[in-house]
Amino acid sequence: MKPVLGLPGRNPETERWMAALLAAVGFGDAEVARYRHWQRDVEPDLHKEAAAYPVADRSLVVAKSMGTMVLLAAADEGVPDRAVLIGVPINAYSDEQVDGLVALAGRIPCLFIQQLEDFTGGAAALQQALGDVASVEALVGSDHVYADVDELAALIADWQVGQDG
């Protein structure tokens, strides 16, 4: 079976959060990206991070916030079988990235999980950007933290069951 990859957010503390989420879903052996900018005081380079973590050979990629942007950058070289995108910072997306997000959702099964009032762009803004290509699972919240790992794991597990038929 192809491996699972977690692409955490911009901050290093999201690495542990991602590992906990993947373990809660049942992917304890999944790889979680460790971004280069965490070791240096530099801005993230999405394309360098994407090159370090190819997604085309993955059964599933779970991405949060900046990780969704890394996934899109990596998708230029191929896509995973499925993707879960949590806390998409749609307000920070360029038009090109929005187009890439819509294209990704049109190519592979994607689960989008977004807080109703996420300060990086709420569920309604994400749904508007996606149009009818995909639907958004809306959660109560506005802090962009997505701290309830059990709730997220249940959503992902239920979605996977639906995907497996």
Side-chain angles (χ1 to χ4, degrees), residues 15-93:
E15 179 185 17
R16 277 177 280 161
W17 172 88
M18 180 62 75
L21 174 58
L22 293 173
V25 179
F27 300 121
D29 60 345
E31 180 181 10
V32 177
R34 293 187 53 87
Y35 299 132
R36 299 171 204 207
H37 77 272
W38 289 347
Q39 283 76 42
R40 301 180 201 102
D41 188 21
V42 295
E43 286 297 307
D45 183 321
L46 298 176
H47 293 286
K48 283 185 181 177
E49 300 300 351
Y53 296 100
V55 298
D57 65 339
R58 306 295 181 147
S59 62
L60 175 69
V61 171
V62 178
K64 193 234 185 236
S65 193
M66 187 193 88
T68 67
M69 296 170 141
V70 173
L71 171 59
L72 289 179
D76 290 343
E77 302 299 320
V79 296
D81 295 342
R82 300 177 186 160
V84 174
L85 296 91
I86 303 167
V88 176
I90 197 69
N91 292 345
Y93 269 47

Side-chain angles (χ1 to χ4, degrees), residues 104-162:
L104 180 73
R107 290 177 69 187
I108 63 170
C110 292
L111 171 63
F112 292 89
I113 302 172
Q114 195 81 3
Q115 291 174 336
L116 284 166
E117 298 178 16
D118 188 318
F119 69 83
T120 69
L126 178 58
Q127 186 64 68
Q128 182 177 2
L130 291 168
D132 61 0
V133 172
S135 61
V136 176
E137 187 71 41
L139 302 178
V140 173
S142 61
D143 61 9
H144 193 66
V145 174
Y146 298 86
D148 191 340
V149 169
D150 292 334
E151 179 182 28
L152 295 171
L155 288 171
I156 295 168
D158 288 349
W159 175 74
Q160 290 228 135
V161 167

